[in-house]
DNA sequence: AGTCTTGTTGAGAATTATTCTTAAGAAGTA
DNA sequence: TACTTCTTAAGAATAATTCTCAACAAGACT
């Protein structure tokens, strides 16, 4: 099953289960984020979606992304100082956030993937998924102008 | 040593190390976030700081928070659909984010605290700290109106 | 296939959040 | 004390996001 088909099936199932409608706009927005190799911001998603749906409004993209987020189909990505960006988490991965430029890097880690959700968390609500968030200075910024000296111990 | 003194010492050291000045505004902003039991947004920090520095401008709070973030003294917190919020990570903890209301809950987990930063991450840059991010629906939202049915597997 | 219900959208407008500009203030050094 | 220059505040501007409401359309039912 191709990723696109998998994504569509997931979208359909989730919308149905929640009594929501499957619209072309929702399809295109979701596919845009799911197919994206990075973390697109709203206007980037808007541009992508407009290729197939030229009349789609920016507000629709906002509304759709937040609705997909509520449904767990996409999630806003931690970044530093940048407008909100989204990730469809089509595959398990973790994030490294640069404190300086705000870039968010994906990385894989089989060892981190093995970690169970601890009991303590379940008292807070229904947990859908987890990933590890790292924070520091990316290589680009390190090489650029002397990395910022970290003033914060293990967080 | 009290938390306040520890925070001040950390601020001072980090600013010095980076050739930056220690200003009253920076002190108050940092102490406000460090003393906060939750994750204050910019305007909340502004209100707190104004108690001791009534003329501080909102722009200064924004600038100071982003500068502190670059320095690793505070970090923006993942949230869903809310304006940006900050955490000083004075103590190691992890986050549970509600996909519905956007609330971010802290939780402690000794087992998660033990996790080492994997090798894969170090190729991306200099890692300062890590925490686990969980995503789901909080108890408040579950009890409120039938939790959103999750359409997304383990992320 | 047609009708109906109502969720969803788009265009235009409005609001909110954030950043810019620039002169003055102030932290820190000599 | 004088000097350098980083940092700030006030006012303005910009960018990001959300609202309003009539029209459209997804999906259920007949």
């Amino acid at each position: 099953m191709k990723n696109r088909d998998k994504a569509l099936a997931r979208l359909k199932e989730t919308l149905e289960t929640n009594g929501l409608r499957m619209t072309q706009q929702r399809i295109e927005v979701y596919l845009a984020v799911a197919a994206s190799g990075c973390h697109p911001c709203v206007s980037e998603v808007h541009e992508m979606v407009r290729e197939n749906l030229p009349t789609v409004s920016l507000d629709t993209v906002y509304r759709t992304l937040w609705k997909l987020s509520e449904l767990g189909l996409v999630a806003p990505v931690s970044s530093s100082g940048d407008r909100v960006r989204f990730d469809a988490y089509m595959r398990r991965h973790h994030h490294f956030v640069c404190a300086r430029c705000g870039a968010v890097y994906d990385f894989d880690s089989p060892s981190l993937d093995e970690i169970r959700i601890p009991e303590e968390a379940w008292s807070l609500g229904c947990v859908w998924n987890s990933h590890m968030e790292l924070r520091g200075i990316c290589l680009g910024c390190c090489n650029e102008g002397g990395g910022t000296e970290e003033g914060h111990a293990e967080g």
Side-chain angles (χ1 to χ4, degrees), chain A:
Chain A
M1 195 193 286
K2 284 161 48 186
N3 272 346
R4 187 177 181 283
D5 294 336
K6 195 164 69 164
L8 277 176
R10 181 172 285 163
L11 176 66
K12 182 173 162 62
E13 187 196 350
T14 306
L15 289 175
E16 276 183 0
T17 304
N18 287 280
L20 300 174
R21 300 181 186 187
M22 181 92 152
T23 65
Q24 277 303 313
Q25 291 85 349
R26 285 174 174 165
I27 291 171
E28 293 294 332
V29 166
Y30 185 51
L31 289 184
V33 179
S36 177
C38 53
H39 311 101
C41 65
V42 177
S43 56
E44 284 161 354
V45 175
H46 188 216
E47 282 171 32
M48 287 188 256
V49 169
R50 261 197 305 195
E51 291 179 16
N52 288 338
L53 292 178
T55 62
V56 70
S57 74
L58 184 59
D59 173 48
T60 293
V61 176
Y62 270 101
R63 272 187 276 114
T64 302
L65 284 167
W66 289 127
K67 176 60 66 178
L68 295 180
S69 172
E70 277 178 37
L71 297 173
L73 290 166
V74 304
V77 172
S78 283
S79 73
S80 236
D82 198 15
R83 80 211 82 162
V84 64
R85 293 178 170 274
F86 294 86
D87 186 329
Y89 288 103
M90 296 302 291
R91 232 179 88 258
R92 185 90 196 263
H93 61 273
H94 306 273
H95 285 159
F96 173 73
V97 184
C98 177
R100 193 152 172 184
C101 67
V104 181
Y105 300 90
D106 290 352
F107 71 94
D108 295 320
S109 168
S111 60
L112 290 182
D113 291 352
E114 298 296 328
I115 297 164
R116 312 300 304 172
I117 293 164
E119 283 303 315
E120 296 94 321
W122 289 102
S123 62
L124 296 174
C126 171
V127 182
W128 289 339
N129 53 49
S130 69
H131 68 277
M132 187 66 83
E133 289 259 331
L134 305 183
R135 197 167 161 77
I137 299 285
C138 70
L139 283 186
C141 291
C142 282
N143 295 336
E144 193 172 290
T148 303
E149 187 64 37
E150 182 246 328
H152 206 57
E154 182 74 4

